[in-house]
Amino acid sequence: MSYSQTNRIKTGAIKLESGLGILFLVGFGLLAAVMIVKVGLMAGFLLLGLPFVIGLLSYLWIDPKAGIWLSLIMGFLISGLSRYIVAPWGLTIDIFLFLSLLFSLINSSIKIDWKRTKNDITIFSLVWMGYLIFEILNPHGNGLVAWFYAMRGIGFYQMLSVPMIYLFLREEKHFYTFLNILIILSLAGTAWGFKQQLLGVDAAEYRWLWDENHHEEHVLHGVLRVFSFYSDAGQFGASQAMMALLTGILAVSPLPTFKRILFGILAIVFFLGFAISGTRGALAVPLFGGIAYLITTKNFKVLGVGFSAMILVFVILKYTFLFQGVEQVRRMRTALDPNNRSLEVRLENQITFGKYLADKPFGGGVGTAGFWGARFNPDSLMANTATDSWFVKIWAETGFFGLLIHISFLGYVIGKGGAVCMGLTSPKKKSYAMALYASIVGVIFSSYGNQVFGQMPTGMIMNLAIPFLFLIPHWPEEKK
């Protein structure tokens, strides 16, 4: 028997071509049909999905890092999917990350060099998660179930994903995979957003807007704030602004001409996506991210031109009525109004939290504010006072000490990331590092106005982007 014949016999797909295999497939289909008739449609679909689940588990067993990519993809999709099919989509991120780590530990064929995880970013992530575990003991919390749901986006995903980036995704090609996934899914988000803008929302989105009472923040003066398949318009706008900044910086970087043109086109598309979201807080992404980029260039001419452009935009929005006929510009202009009622309400809420937390240095407990607070204790002050800001949320739930740890970590990322960018000499490495760094800084500062940093997909993007930034200096040197 030849090698090809032997290999053919061992192939699972070939076995299904046999009479027994065909009989199995027919029997499986009939069983699914019976379950649909006798038990219900969902039971039949679950049975039909079983081979897919088995295949996915087999793939993750062989290649655990695929779970990281799947978690990133689901970070983009969970909010949109939940509008069409009610299911715990968010738990798919937990499952993929957990299985990736579990399979990498128990699959003896996968060799792990744990020394790669001995770095400052991993240590910060573990310390932060350790503090969140300590929060279980907070007597003001809503219980273990509320803590479990809420802590995932705050620190659990970070704790799982950061070490796995250092273990399995250290190479340059992995960064490009990360970048390509961001671009493709963000473009899909832009396209879906323009579909909403030009053709209107579909039945599921209409129900989400009006029956679930999201219209007050998404339909202003009869104009839709586009949210695409993201959690809301604020997250969509911030994500699109981040991608516009990232691709815009790459467009003016010393990269091959074709790539620069492509990145330039993408930057324009993403900027338009940001514009139709009507998100004022997302202005902080290009503003502070742009400042971070200009500083890391160490080019005073570029720095001067960049700051001049920012001042010009500020003056136009603050002191003129140019482009006032454009709804998106009018909305952005209100972000610079010191008498804006939205800003006043946010400041009032912060005063309320300040009084409540005066004798609570460890906060009100993880899972007591925002969505999870409203779900598990809807009559509490924490649940009925909007946090708005990501940092206010961290402060409210974890107290002064939690906020101190979290801000220390983010400050460290900003400081060390800037040093990494300025220390690189390779034009290619420096270009990608500065683009990624500016995006991270922009998201961090924009999180003061909205809960950008912890919401999906931005939360998952940041969990991967931060370790990727610090791995760029370890790429192999370019051939001269």
Side-chain angles (χ1 to χ4, degrees):
M1 184 180 292
S2 66
Y3 171 80
S4 60
Q5 289 174 319
T6 304
N7 192 50
R8 179 179 173 83
I9 291 173
K10 291 182 179 181
T11 304
I14 298 303
K15 290 182 179 180
L16 290 176
E17 295 179 2
S18 65
L20 186 61
I22 294 173
L23 184 63
F24 169 78
L25 291 176
V26 172
F28 189 84
L30 289 173
L31 178 60
V34 170
M35 287 192 68
I36 290 174
V37 173
K38 297 292 185 181
V39 182
L41 192 62
M42 186 56 66
F45 284 153
L46 289 174
L47 183 61
L48 288 172
L50 188 60
F52 171 78
V53 172
I54 294 173
L56 181 60
L57 290 174
S58 300
Y59 184 67
L60 289 175
W61 175 264
I62 297 171
D63 187 13
K65 67 176 179 289
I68 304 174
W69 300 133
L70 288 170
S71 298
L72 177 60
I73 292 169
M74 290 307 299
F76 275 89
L77 301 180
I78 54 176
S79 295
L81 287 171
S82 66
R83 295 187 182 112
Y84 299 90
I85 303 174
V86 178
W89 294 108
L91 290 175
T92 58
I93 298 176
D94 307 67
I95 292 169
F96 287 137
L97 287 175
F98 177 75
L99 289 178
S100 291
L101 182 60
L102 177 65
F103 289 171
S104 63
L105 291 173
I106 64 177
N107 188 346
S108 59
S109 64
I110 297 174
K111 305 302 179 184
I112 298 179
D113 183 2
W114 289 106
K115 293 181 180 179
R116 293 177 172 179
T117 61
K118 293 181 179 179
N119 58 76
D120 40 14
I121 304 302
T122 301
I123 292 172
F124 260 116
S125 300
L126 292 174
V127 169
W128 176 232
M129 189 62 211
Y131 182 83
L132 295 180
I133 293 173
F134 166 74
E135 277 287 332
I136 295 174
L137 304 177
N138 192 322
H140 308 288
N142 285 339
L144 189 61
V145 176
W147 173 88
F148 170 77
Y149 279 110
M151 66 85 189
R152 291 148 59 231
I154 298 177
F156 184 63
Y157 296 157
Q158 184 184 77
M159 182 197 70
L160 289 179
S161 56
V162 167
M164 286 193 288
I165 295 295
Y166 282 104
L167 286 174
F168 303 121
L169 302 174
R170 300 176 61 87
E171 299 179 29
E172 184 177 348
K173 64 179 181 181
H174 297 138
F175 171 78
Y176 295 137
T177 300
F178 170 66
L179 183 60
N180 290 335
I181 290 174
L182 290 190
I183 290 173
I184 292 170
L185 292 176
S186 296
L187 272 178
T190 313
W192 196 264
F194 273 104
K195 187 275 296 182
Q196 292 176 340
Q197 175 83 355
L198 300 174
L199 303 178
V201 297
D202 59 29
E205 293 164 339
Y206 184 89
R207 182 178 63 252
W208 180 81
L209 277 173
W210 297 98
D211 294 351
E212 299 182 26
N213 296 319
H214 293 285
H215 60 279
E216 291 184 359
E217 65 267 26
H218 286 89
V219 182
L220 304 179
H221 309 295
V223 178
L224 176 70
R225 289 182 61 206
V226 170
F227 51 90
S228 186
F229 49 69
Y230 292 66
S231 60
D232 53 59
Q235 179 61 210
F236 173 59
S239 182
Q240 292 283 293
M242 180 196 71
M243 292 304 299
L245 176 66
L246 189 150
T247 52
I249 290 174
L250 293 176
V252 297
S253 299
L255 297 174
T257 303
F258 173 75
K259 286 188 176 182
R260 293 175 61 189
I261 293 173
L262 178 60
F263 284 129
I265 294 171
L266 289 171
I268 295 171
V269 171
F270 291 134
F271 179 81
L272 293 174
F274 154 64
I276 62 175
S277 73
T279 305
R280 298 169 299 182
L283 281 170
V285 176
L287 173 61
F288 290 99
I291 292 173
Y293 166 71
L294 293 172
I295 292 174
T296 54
T297 61
K298 295 191 296 184
N299 186 321
F300 292 104
K301 289 183 179 180
V302 174
L303 191 63
V305 172
F307 272 114
S308 299
M310 289 181 180
I311 292 171
L312 178 61
V313 172
F314 173 80
V315 169
I316 290 174
L317 291 176
K318 178 71 175 177
Y319 299 107
T320 76
F321 290 97
L322 291 174
F323 311 110
Q324 189 68 3
V326 181
E327 170 65 23
Q328 287 76 18
V329 175
R330 285 201 302 272
R331 177 140 179 93
M332 290 178 190
R333 188 163 273 135
T334 62
L336 303 176
D337 182 4
N339 299 315
N340 183 268
R341 181 54 187 160
S342 177
L343 176 61
E344 292 175 355
V345 171
R346 292 178 184 226
L347 294 177
E348 291 170 2
N349 290 338
Q350 290 177 27
I351 292 173
T352 301
F353 278 123
K355 293 178 180 178
Y356 178 74
L357 298 170
D359 59 347
K360 300 176 181 64
F362 301 108
V366 175
T368 57
F371 176 82
W372 298 115
R375 174 172 171 178
F376 290 98
N377 193 1
D379 297 324
S380 65
L381 179 143
M382 291 282 285
N384 286 283
T385 307
T387 55
D388 295 313
S389 165
W390 170 251
F391 297 109
V392 172
K393 174 183 171 65
I394 296 297
W395 171 46
E397 295 197 337
T398 66
F400 168 78
F401 290 110
L403 183 62
L404 181 63
I405 295 172
H406 191 60
I407 288 182
S408 297
F409 168 65
L410 297 180
Y412 183 81
V413 169
I414 293 174
K416 183 179 178 180
V420 166
C421 291
M422 289 187 281
L424 291 171
T425 56
S426 163
K428 182 178 70 173
K429 290 183 184 180
K430 194 175 185 71
S431 298
Y432 286 112
M434 288 196 300
L436 197 59
Y437 174 69
S439 302
I440 293 170
V441 172
V443 167
I444 290 174
F445 277 91
S446 70
S447 296
Y448 174 75
N450 294 290
Q451 294 184 36
V452 177
F453 193 87
Q455 287 182 314
M456 294 297 148
T458 306
M460 201 62 211
I461 293 171
M462 290 297 103
N463 291 339
L464 275 60
I466 291 172
F468 270 127
L469 171 63
F470 297 122
L471 283 170
I472 289 178
H474 300 283
W475 292 357
E477 294 298 325
E478 301 172 57
K479 296 179 180 180
K480 297 183 179 179

